[in-house]
Amino acid sequence: MPTPPLWDQQKAMDKFTTLTGIAAPMPLLNIDTDMIIPKQFLKTIKRSGLGVNLFDEMRYNQDGSEKPDFVLNQPAYRSAEIIVAGDNFGCGSSREHAPWALLDFGIRCVISTSFADIFFSNCFKNGILPVVLPQEAVEALMDDAKKGANARITVDLESQTVTGSDGTTYAFEVDAFKKHCLLNGLDDIGLTLEKVTAIDSFEGQAAQSRPWV
Amino acid sequence: MTTPTHAAPKTIYDKIWDAHVVDTSEDGTCLLYIDRHLVHEVTSPQAFEGLRMTGRTVRAPEKTIAVPDHNVPTTEGRDIRIDNEESRIQVDALDKNARDFKINYYPVSDIRQGIVHIVGPEQGWTLPGMTVVCGDSHTATHGAFGALAHGIGTSEVEHVLATQTLIQKKSKNMKVEITGRLRPGVTAKDITLSVIGETGTAGGTGYVIEYCGEAIRELSMEGRMTVCNMAIEGGARAGLIAPDEKTFAYVMGRPHAPKGAQWEAALAWWKTLFTDEGAHFDKVVTLRGEDIAPVVTWGTSPEDVLPITAVVPAPESFTGGKVEAAQRALDYMGLTAGQKLTDIKIDTVFIGSCTNGRIEDLRAAAAILKGKKIAVKRAMVVPGSGLVRAQAEEEGLAQIFLDAGFEWRLAGCSMCLAMNPDQLSPGERCAATSNRNFEGRQGRGGRTHLMSPAMAAAAAITGHLTDVREMMAEPAEAI
């Protein structure tokens, strides 16, 4: 794979190789993007600074004080880097502010049985690894995460495995191209622009066959 | 399976996909050409900033269409000044980006401005067989034309701006068939909500849905847009409907639709866009049109759907994690298991959004409201575009809404996602024609019940959730 030109390196995302960190349990089903980052924080024209408002309505009272029961407000999980979540995490809107907020807080990996399509794709563009595992594995890791800061989970993208604090290892699938980009922190616009001849040629043919487009 | 003389039968999704593949990698990852890119103010500023930082430009500005809709106020004077500073900065940024990169643009001062998914079809930008993307999950709306249309994130917005392509893997094919005919009082919104109630919010994950069957064919283009709009709430990448004479009639003569010889050539191709006999679907869901009732949502997920004649469900009636989720939903919504849905009192009514902000939706609501007064604290109609608004005024619908006690607003997304000043207060309960009933969606602590425009109008008159069939001129047979 050729080295991206300088301007790509400047804006390329963080690589993801291996991560050992505290996992926060969030067993709720269907955690949607409005929960992850409510709309009032979408008015920014930047990508950064959204971590303080991650899960805003679940995390803070109306007066801005913290809700002590919320998982990321508990001392054991304040520096969590992984979330173990209920089914269908990230459903709802296409807002990339959701992975930006997770990343800004320090979350680099989310583990669930399933993810909403657009959120899943957005994670890979921002150096976050969404891991899909079967129900039993997610339940085991959820129990593990509930142990708090003593339970550190290891996620290894190269070998495609998640290892719980008791040493149990779970293998996961990941798309080869997405894995390659994440391992190397590649900007995929740069990669696509290497195929500009193919795009030119497609556009030329389409101008003949579908001139109304 | 293939035979020597015939190509393998394809779905309409297969056909559109195949016509747009620029390049295929060994692992099956494709570069897909994008025919139309719709852009709004909230999910695009970082993408344009990315282009500037890298010295890139917009590859096909003539195929890129921008319109501010998400956070614009829907009150008069917004073309002169937007009071909220952050909103103003985003709208100004879109204004500048549209000018700098020379893309098609409809500012708030233009009567054609409106919700991006209403403006696209209205102006003829959306055509059958196209690939259409937008940094907004409700892009599936455009699938009503037999286009492959879906939402993308901001990084992908930047990718499409720079390359006019997307890196994609093909989804699986899912068929949702609605057989037979709808009963009186039942609408496209009831179809799409009932499908999500059946499949769940993740039932479509990994699929592109083709909606078909007699009840779908019978729908107008407006109704088909309502159905496809909510494909995303069922988890699907996209939802689409094969184009037919209704589609062609809707498209013909629109400002950006092809004309003359190009129209004939386009029509010839569009007529090939249907699913071949024997084509393979990975998943099939069938509902009988006659079985669909006017429905409402009771919880905080679009899958929490029940006929209006039902009662609030008990959390124990569910299984797995849904038990806890349902209990949380009832607590949030302030409801008790066993309560009749028609006993739920409503504070506010919102008619609008990309799901139900088109002329036909306003006609359906006005038909119920004519000569009546609202019994709720507030009610608003937010037309989907300036042109829908003008048409509704011309047809006398605006006066019906005003006489009933509704506010008559300017076009935008408004209270569907409450980014602008149109928001619910904590505990405020809303009958809404929009698409999401998530916690906090319409304002922190706000409680949303999703339904059709006619059902929302009925709730506005009685002050509680109401079976619209009881208000119709001819009594309909209850299901």
Side-chain angles (χ1 to χ4, degrees), chain B residues 329-384:
Chain B
L330 291 195
D331 293 345
Y332 180 85
M333 294 296 288
L335 298 175
T336 315
Q339 189 177 0
K340 284 173 72 175
L341 291 173
T342 49
D343 285 345
I344 297 173
K345 291 204 161 37
I346 295 296
D347 302 307
T348 300
V349 172
F350 168 65
I351 296 176
S353 84
C354 57
T355 316
N356 283 124
R358 285 168 285 271
I359 190 69
E360 190 175 277
D361 302 313
L362 304 194
R363 286 183 194 138
I368 301 295
L369 288 165
K370 192 168 187 180
K372 306 271 180 33
K373 296 280 181 205
I374 61 168
V376 290
K377 289 176 195 149
R378 62 170 170 158
M380 67 167 78
V381 183
V382 184

Short mmCIF file of all heavy atoms in Angstrom, two decimals, chain B residues 329-384:
data_model
loop_
_atom_site.label_atom_id
_atom_site.label_comp_id
_atom_site.label_asym_id
_atom_site.label_seq_id
_atom_site.Cartn_x
_atom_site.Cartn_y
_atom_site.Cartn_z
N ALA B 329 -39.07 2.90 29.07
CA ALA B 329 -39.90 3.70 28.16
C ALA B 329 -41.18 4.17 28.85
O ALA B 329 -41.57 5.33 28.72
CB ALA B 329 -40.23 2.88 26.91
N LEU B 330 -41.83 3.28 29.60
CA LEU B 330 -43.07 3.67 30.29
C LEU B 330 -42.78 4.74 31.33
O LEU B 330 -43.54 5.70 31.48
CB LEU B 330 -43.72 2.46 30.97
CG LEU B 330 -44.33 1.39 30.05
CD1 LEU B 330 -45.25 0.46 30.84
CD2 LEU B 330 -45.09 2.00 28.90
N ASP B 331 -41.67 4.60 32.06
CA ASP B 331 -41.29 5.61 33.06
C ASP B 331 -41.06 6.96 32.37
O ASP B 331 -41.55 7.99 32.82
CB ASP B 331 -40.02 5.20 33.80
CG ASP B 331 -40.24 3.97 34.68
OD1 ASP B 331 -41.42 3.64 34.93
OD2 ASP B 331 -39.24 3.35 35.09
N TYR B 332 -40.33 6.92 31.27
CA TYR B 332 -40.01 8.16 30.55
C TYR B 332 -41.28 8.80 29.98
O TYR B 332 -41.46 10.02 30.05
CB TYR B 332 -39.01 7.89 29.42
CG TYR B 332 -38.65 9.13 28.65
CD1 TYR B 332 -37.63 9.96 29.10
CD2 TYR B 332 -39.35 9.51 27.51
CE1 TYR B 332 -37.31 11.14 28.43
CE2 TYR B 332 -39.05 10.68 26.83
CZ TYR B 332 -38.03 11.48 27.29
OH TYR B 332 -37.73 12.65 26.63
N MET B 333 -42.15 7.95 29.44
CA MET B 333 -43.37 8.45 28.79
C MET B 333 -44.48 8.77 29.79
O MET B 333 -45.51 9.34 29.42
CB MET B 333 -43.88 7.43 27.77
CG MET B 333 -42.96 7.19 26.57
SD MET B 333 -42.75 8.65 25.53
CE MET B 333 -44.36 8.77 24.73
N GLY B 334 -44.31 8.39 31.05
CA GLY B 334 -45.32 8.67 32.07
C GLY B 334 -46.60 7.89 31.81
O GLY B 334 -47.70 8.43 31.93
N LEU B 335 -46.46 6.63 31.43
CA LEU B 335 -47.62 5.79 31.11
C LEU B 335 -47.67 4.57 32.02
O LEU B 335 -46.66 4.17 32.59
CB LEU B 335 -47.56 5.33 29.64
CG LEU B 335 -47.57 6.44 28.58
CD1 LEU B 335 -47.38 5.83 27.20
CD2 LEU B 335 -48.88 7.23 28.63
N THR B 336 -48.87 4.00 32.13
CA THR B 336 -49.08 2.82 32.97
C THR B 336 -49.56 1.67 32.10
O THR B 336 -50.41 1.87 31.23
CB THR B 336 -50.18 3.10 34.02
OG1 THR B 336 -49.92 4.39 34.58
CG2 THR B 336 -50.18 2.06 35.11
N ALA B 337 -49.02 0.50 32.34
CA ALA B 337 -49.46 -0.69 31.59
C ALA B 337 -50.96 -0.87 31.76
O ALA B 337 -51.49 -0.67 32.85
CB ALA B 337 -48.71 -1.92 32.07
N GLY B 338 -51.63 -1.20 30.67
CA GLY B 338 -53.07 -1.44 30.73
C GLY B 338 -53.92 -0.22 30.40
O GLY B 338 -55.11 -0.34 30.12
N GLN B 339 -53.30 0.94 30.43
CA GLN B 339 -54.00 2.19 30.11
C GLN B 339 -54.43 2.17 28.62
O GLN B 339 -53.65 1.75 27.77
CB GLN B 339 -52.98 3.32 30.34
CG GLN B 339 -53.48 4.71 30.29
CD GLN B 339 -52.33 5.70 30.62
OE1 GLN B 339 -51.20 5.31 30.89
NE2 GLN B 339 -52.65 6.98 30.60
N LYS B 340 -55.65 2.61 28.35
CA LYS B 340 -56.07 2.67 26.94
C LYS B 340 -55.31 3.76 26.21
O LYS B 340 -55.18 4.87 26.72
CB LYS B 340 -57.57 2.97 26.85
CG LYS B 340 -58.46 1.77 27.20
CD LYS B 340 -59.91 2.15 27.27
CE LYS B 340 -60.49 2.44 25.88
NZ LYS B 340 -61.95 2.71 25.96
N LEU B 341 -54.84 3.45 25.02
CA LEU B 341 -54.08 4.46 24.26
C LEU B 341 -54.94 5.71 24.02
O LEU B 341 -54.45 6.83 24.05
CB LEU B 341 -53.60 3.88 22.92
CG LEU B 341 -52.50 2.81 23.02
CD1 LEU B 341 -52.23 2.20 21.65
CD2 LEU B 341 -51.22 3.39 23.60
N THR B 342 -56.23 5.50 23.80
CA THR B 342 -57.11 6.64 23.52
C THR B 342 -57.37 7.50 24.76
O THR B 342 -57.98 8.57 24.66
CB THR B 342 -58.46 6.16 22.95
OG1 THR B 342 -58.96 5.12 23.78
CG2 THR B 342 -58.31 5.67 21.53
N ASP B 343 -56.91 7.06 25.94
CA ASP B 343 -57.04 7.88 27.15
C ASP B 343 -55.82 8.78 27.38
O ASP B 343 -55.79 9.54 28.34
CB ASP B 343 -57.23 6.98 28.38
CG ASP B 343 -58.64 6.39 28.44
OD1 ASP B 343 -59.51 6.91 27.71
OD2 ASP B 343 -58.84 5.42 29.19
N ILE B 344 -54.81 8.66 26.52
CA ILE B 344 -53.59 9.45 26.72
C ILE B 344 -53.81 10.89 26.25
O ILE B 344 -54.12 11.14 25.08
CB ILE B 344 -52.39 8.81 25.96
CG1 ILE B 344 -52.12 7.42 26.54
CG2 ILE B 344 -51.16 9.69 26.04
CD1 ILE B 344 -51.09 6.62 25.76
N LYS B 345 -53.67 11.83 27.19
CA LYS B 345 -53.91 13.25 26.88
C LYS B 345 -52.70 13.85 26.18
O LYS B 345 -51.56 13.52 26.49
CB LYS B 345 -54.20 14.00 28.17
CG LYS B 345 -55.54 13.63 28.78
CD LYS B 345 -56.07 14.75 29.66
CE LYS B 345 -57.56 14.63 29.92
NZ LYS B 345 -58.06 13.25 30.09
N ILE B 346 -52.96 14.76 25.25
CA ILE B 346 -51.92 15.37 24.42
C ILE B 346 -51.85 16.87 24.71
O ILE B 346 -52.88 17.53 24.83
CB ILE B 346 -52.26 15.12 22.93
CG1 ILE B 346 -52.19 13.62 22.59
CG2 ILE B 346 -51.36 15.92 22.00
CD1 ILE B 346 -50.83 12.99 22.72
N ASP B 347 -50.61 17.39 24.82
CA ASP B 347 -50.42 18.83 25.04
C ASP B 347 -50.22 19.58 23.72
O ASP B 347 -50.64 20.73 23.57
CB ASP B 347 -49.18 19.08 25.91
CG ASP B 347 -49.26 18.37 27.25
OD1 ASP B 347 -50.28 18.57 27.94
OD2 ASP B 347 -48.33 17.62 27.59
N THR B 348 -49.52 18.93 22.81
CA THR B 348 -49.02 19.62 21.62
C THR B 348 -49.18 18.74 20.39
O THR B 348 -49.06 17.51 20.50
CB THR B 348 -47.51 19.92 21.83
OG1 THR B 348 -47.39 20.76 22.97
CG2 THR B 348 -46.89 20.61 20.64
N VAL B 349 -49.43 19.36 19.25
CA VAL B 349 -49.50 18.60 18.00
C VAL B 349 -48.52 19.21 17.00
O VAL B 349 -48.48 20.43 16.83
CB VAL B 349 -50.93 18.59 17.43
CG1 VAL B 349 -50.96 17.96 16.04
CG2 VAL B 349 -51.88 17.84 18.36
N PHE B 350 -47.72 18.35 16.40
CA PHE B 350 -46.75 18.79 15.38
C PHE B 350 -47.02 18.06 14.08
O PHE B 350 -46.94 16.83 14.01
CB PHE B 350 -45.31 18.51 15.86
CG PHE B 350 -44.28 18.66 14.77
CD1 PHE B 350 -44.05 19.90 14.18
CD2 PHE B 350 -43.54 17.57 14.34
CE1 PHE B 350 -43.10 20.04 13.17
CE2 PHE B 350 -42.58 17.70 13.33
CZ PHE B 350 -42.36 18.94 12.75
N ILE B 351 -47.37 18.83 13.05
CA ILE B 351 -47.57 18.25 11.71
C ILE B 351 -46.49 18.81 10.79
O ILE B 351 -46.39 20.03 10.62
CB ILE B 351 -48.98 18.58 11.17
CG1 ILE B 351 -50.05 17.91 12.07
CG2 ILE B 351 -49.13 18.12 9.71
CD1 ILE B 351 -51.48 18.24 11.69
N GLY B 352 -45.69 17.92 10.25
CA GLY B 352 -44.59 18.34 9.37
C GLY B 352 -43.56 17.24 9.25
O GLY B 352 -43.89 16.07 9.45
N SER B 353 -42.31 17.60 8.90
CA SER B 353 -41.13 16.72 8.77
C SER B 353 -41.01 16.10 7.37
O SER B 353 -41.96 16.15 6.57
CB SER B 353 -41.13 15.60 9.81
OG SER B 353 -41.90 14.51 9.38
N CYS B 354 -39.84 15.50 7.12
CA CYS B 354 -39.61 14.84 5.82
C CYS B 354 -40.47 13.60 5.69
O CYS B 354 -40.64 13.06 4.59
CB CYS B 354 -38.14 14.50 5.63
SG CYS B 354 -37.43 13.45 6.91
N THR B 355 -41.04 13.13 6.80
CA THR B 355 -41.93 11.96 6.74
C THR B 355 -43.33 12.37 6.27
O THR B 355 -43.93 11.69 5.44
CB THR B 355 -42.04 11.30 8.14
OG1 THR B 355 -40.73 11.22 8.71
CG2 THR B 355 -42.65 9.92 8.05
N ASN B 356 -43.82 13.46 6.82
CA ASN B 356 -45.21 13.86 6.55
C ASN B 356 -45.38 15.38 6.41
O ASN B 356 -46.29 15.97 7.01
CB ASN B 356 -46.13 13.37 7.68
CG ASN B 356 -46.45 11.89 7.59
OD1 ASN B 356 -46.22 11.15 8.53
ND2 ASN B 356 -46.99 11.46 6.46
N GLY B 357 -44.53 16.02 5.62
CA GLY B 357 -44.64 17.47 5.44
C GLY B 357 -45.00 17.86 4.01
O GLY B 357 -44.73 18.98 3.58
N ARG B 358 -45.56 16.91 3.25
CA ARG B 358 -45.91 17.19 1.86
C ARG B 358 -47.38 17.59 1.72
O ARG B 358 -48.15 17.46 2.66
CB ARG B 358 -45.58 15.95 1.00
CG ARG B 358 -44.08 15.77 0.75
CD ARG B 358 -43.74 14.44 0.15
NE ARG B 358 -43.82 13.39 1.14
CZ ARG B 358 -42.81 13.01 1.93
NH1 ARG B 358 -41.62 13.57 1.80
NH2 ARG B 358 -42.97 12.08 2.84
N ILE B 359 -47.75 18.06 0.55
CA ILE B 359 -49.09 18.63 0.35
C ILE B 359 -50.20 17.64 0.72
O ILE B 359 -51.20 18.00 1.34
CB ILE B 359 -49.27 19.19 -1.09
CG1 ILE B 359 -50.55 19.99 -1.21
CG2 ILE B 359 -49.20 18.09 -2.14
CD1 ILE B 359 -50.57 21.29 -0.44
N GLU B 360 -50.00 16.39 0.34
CA GLU B 360 -51.05 15.39 0.61
C GLU B 360 -51.25 15.20 2.12
O GLU B 360 -52.37 14.96 2.58
CB GLU B 360 -50.63 14.07 -0.02
CG GLU B 360 -51.70 13.04 -0.02
CD GLU B 360 -51.23 11.80 -0.77
OE1 GLU B 360 -51.33 11.79 -2.00
OE2 GLU B 360 -50.74 10.88 -0.11
N ASP B 361 -50.15 15.32 2.88
CA ASP B 361 -50.24 15.19 4.34
C ASP B 361 -51.05 16.34 4.92
O ASP B 361 -51.85 16.16 5.83
CB ASP B 361 -48.83 15.18 4.95
CG ASP B 361 -47.98 14.05 4.39
OD1 ASP B 361 -48.48 12.92 4.34
OD2 ASP B 361 -46.83 14.30 4.00
N LEU B 362 -50.81 17.55 4.38
CA LEU B 362 -51.54 18.71 4.88
C LEU B 362 -53.01 18.61 4.50
O LEU B 362 -53.90 18.98 5.28
CB LEU B 362 -50.92 20.01 4.34
CG LEU B 362 -49.42 20.21 4.62
CD1 LEU B 362 -49.03 21.66 4.35
CD2 LEU B 362 -49.04 19.83 6.03
N ARG B 363 -53.28 18.08 3.31
CA ARG B 363 -54.68 17.88 2.90
C ARG B 363 -55.38 16.90 3.84
O ARG B 363 -56.52 17.13 4.26
CB ARG B 363 -54.75 17.32 1.47
CG ARG B 363 -54.44 18.35 0.40
CD ARG B 363 -54.60 17.70 -0.98
NE ARG B 363 -54.01 18.53 -2.03
CZ ARG B 363 -53.28 18.05 -3.04
NH1 ARG B 363 -53.07 16.76 -3.15
NH2 ARG B 363 -52.79 18.87 -3.95
N ALA B 364 -54.70 15.81 4.19
CA ALA B 364 -55.31 14.79 5.06
C ALA B 364 -55.62 15.36 6.43
O ALA B 364 -56.69 15.09 6.99
CB ALA B 364 -54.37 13.58 5.18
N ALA B 365 -54.71 16.17 6.97
CA ALA B 365 -54.94 16.76 8.28
C ALA B 365 -56.05 17.80 8.21
O ALA B 365 -56.94 17.84 9.07
CB ALA B 365 -53.65 17.39 8.79
N ALA B 366 -56.03 18.62 7.15
CA ALA B 366 -57.03 19.69 7.01
C ALA B 366 -58.43 19.11 6.85
O ALA B 366 -59.41 19.68 7.34
CB ALA B 366 -56.67 20.59 5.83
N ALA B 367 -58.53 17.95 6.19
CA ALA B 367 -59.85 17.32 5.99
C ALA B 367 -60.49 16.98 7.33
O ALA B 367 -61.71 17.06 7.50
CB ALA B 367 -59.70 16.06 5.14
N ILE B 368 -59.68 16.59 8.29
CA ILE B 368 -60.19 16.26 9.63
C ILE B 368 -60.48 17.54 10.42
O ILE B 368 -61.43 17.60 11.21
CB ILE B 368 -59.15 15.38 10.39
CG1 ILE B 368 -58.85 14.09 9.63
CG2 ILE B 368 -59.59 15.09 11.82
CD1 ILE B 368 -60.01 13.14 9.50
N LEU B 369 -59.65 18.57 10.20
CA LEU B 369 -59.72 19.78 11.03
C LEU B 369 -60.76 20.80 10.57
O LEU B 369 -61.11 21.71 11.32
CB LEU B 369 -58.35 20.48 11.03
CG LEU B 369 -57.25 19.80 11.84
CD1 LEU B 369 -55.89 20.37 11.46
CD2 LEU B 369 -57.50 19.96 13.34
N LYS B 370 -61.25 20.65 9.35
CA LYS B 370 -62.12 21.66 8.77
C LYS B 370 -63.31 21.98 9.69
O LYS B 370 -64.08 21.08 10.07
CB LYS B 370 -62.63 21.19 7.40
CG LYS B 370 -63.30 22.31 6.62
CD LYS B 370 -63.52 21.93 5.17
CE LYS B 370 -64.03 23.15 4.43
NZ LYS B 370 -64.27 22.90 3.02
N GLY B 371 -63.44 23.25 10.06
CA GLY B 371 -64.56 23.68 10.89
C GLY B 371 -64.44 23.32 12.37
O GLY B 371 -65.36 23.56 13.14
N LYS B 372 -63.28 22.75 12.78
CA LYS B 372 -63.10 22.33 14.17
C LYS B 372 -62.09 23.24 14.87
O LYS B 372 -61.38 24.01 14.23
CB LYS B 372 -62.60 20.89 14.22
CG LYS B 372 -63.45 19.89 13.46
CD LYS B 372 -64.53 19.33 14.35
CE LYS B 372 -65.45 18.33 13.69
NZ LYS B 372 -64.91 17.47 12.67
N LYS B 373 -62.04 23.12 16.21
CA LYS B 373 -61.06 23.87 17.01
C LYS B 373 -60.17 22.89 17.76
O LYS B 373 -60.63 21.82 18.17
CB LYS B 373 -61.78 24.76 18.04
CG LYS B 373 -62.65 25.84 17.43
CD LYS B 373 -61.82 27.03 16.99
CE LYS B 373 -62.73 28.11 16.40
NZ LYS B 373 -62.01 28.98 15.46
N ILE B 374 -58.95 23.30 18.01
CA ILE B 374 -58.04 22.42 18.74
C ILE B 374 -58.37 22.44 20.23
O ILE B 374 -58.83 23.44 20.76
CB ILE B 374 -56.54 22.79 18.53
CG1 ILE B 374 -56.23 24.21 19.03
CG2 ILE B 374 -56.15 22.60 17.09
CD1 ILE B 374 -54.73 24.51 19.12
N ALA B 375 -58.08 21.31 20.89
CA ALA B 375 -58.28 21.20 22.33
C ALA B 375 -56.95 20.91 23.03
O ALA B 375 -56.90 20.33 24.10
CB ALA B 375 -59.30 20.09 22.63
N VAL B 376 -55.86 21.28 22.36
CA VAL B 376 -54.52 21.10 22.94
C VAL B 376 -53.91 22.47 23.20
O VAL B 376 -54.42 23.48 22.71
CB VAL B 376 -53.60 20.27 22.01
CG1 VAL B 376 -54.05 18.83 21.96
CG2 VAL B 376 -53.55 20.88 20.61
N LYS B 377 -52.79 22.49 24.01
CA LYS B 377 -52.18 23.78 24.37
C LYS B 377 -51.61 24.48 23.15
O LYS B 377 -51.70 25.68 23.01
CB LYS B 377 -51.08 23.55 25.42
CG LYS B 377 -51.67 23.16 26.78
CD LYS B 377 -50.55 22.86 27.77
CE LYS B 377 -51.14 22.13 28.97
NZ LYS B 377 -50.17 21.21 29.57
N ARG B 378 -50.94 23.73 22.31
CA ARG B 378 -50.44 24.34 21.08
C ARG B 378 -50.38 23.32 19.96
O ARG B 378 -50.22 22.12 20.20
CB ARG B 378 -49.08 25.01 21.28
CG ARG B 378 -47.98 24.08 21.69
CD ARG B 378 -46.64 24.80 21.62
NE ARG B 378 -45.59 23.99 22.23
CZ ARG B 378 -44.30 24.14 21.96
NH1 ARG B 378 -43.89 25.06 21.12
NH2 ARG B 378 -43.42 23.37 22.56
N ALA B 379 -50.49 23.82 18.74
CA ALA B 379 -50.44 22.95 17.57
C ALA B 379 -49.78 23.73 16.45
O ALA B 379 -50.04 24.93 16.28
CB ALA B 379 -51.86 22.55 17.16
N MET B 380 -48.90 23.07 15.73
CA MET B 380 -48.24 23.78 14.62
C MET B 380 -48.15 22.91 13.37
O MET B 380 -48.02 21.69 13.45
CB MET B 380 -46.86 24.27 15.03
CG MET B 380 -45.84 23.22 15.31
SD MET B 380 -44.18 23.96 15.41
CE MET B 380 -44.24 24.67 17.03
N VAL B 381 -48.24 23.58 12.24
CA VAL B 381 -48.01 22.94 10.95
C VAL B 381 -46.76 23.57 10.37
O VAL B 381 -46.66 24.79 10.27
CB VAL B 381 -49.16 23.17 9.95
CG1 VAL B 381 -48.88 22.42 8.65
CG2 VAL B 381 -50.48 22.74 10.53
N VAL B 382 -45.80 22.72 10.01
CA VAL B 382 -44.58 23.20 9.38
C VAL B 382 -44.47 22.55 8.01
O VAL B 382 -44.07 21.39 7.90
CB VAL B 382 -43.34 22.87 10.24
CG1 VAL B 382 -42.09 23.47 9.62
CG2 VAL B 382 -43.53 23.37 11.66
N PRO B 383 -44.87 23.25 6.95
CA PRO B 383 -44.82 22.66 5.61
C PRO B 383 -43.38 22.25 5.25
O PRO B 383 -42.43 22.87 5.70
CB PRO B 383 -45.30 23.78 4.70
CG PRO B 383 -46.03 24.73 5.60
CD PRO B 383 -45.37 24.63 6.93
N GLY B 384 -43.28 21.20 4.43
CA GLY B 384 -41.97 20.66 4.09
C GLY B 384 -41.13 21.55 3.20
O GLY B 384 -39.91 21.41 3.15
#
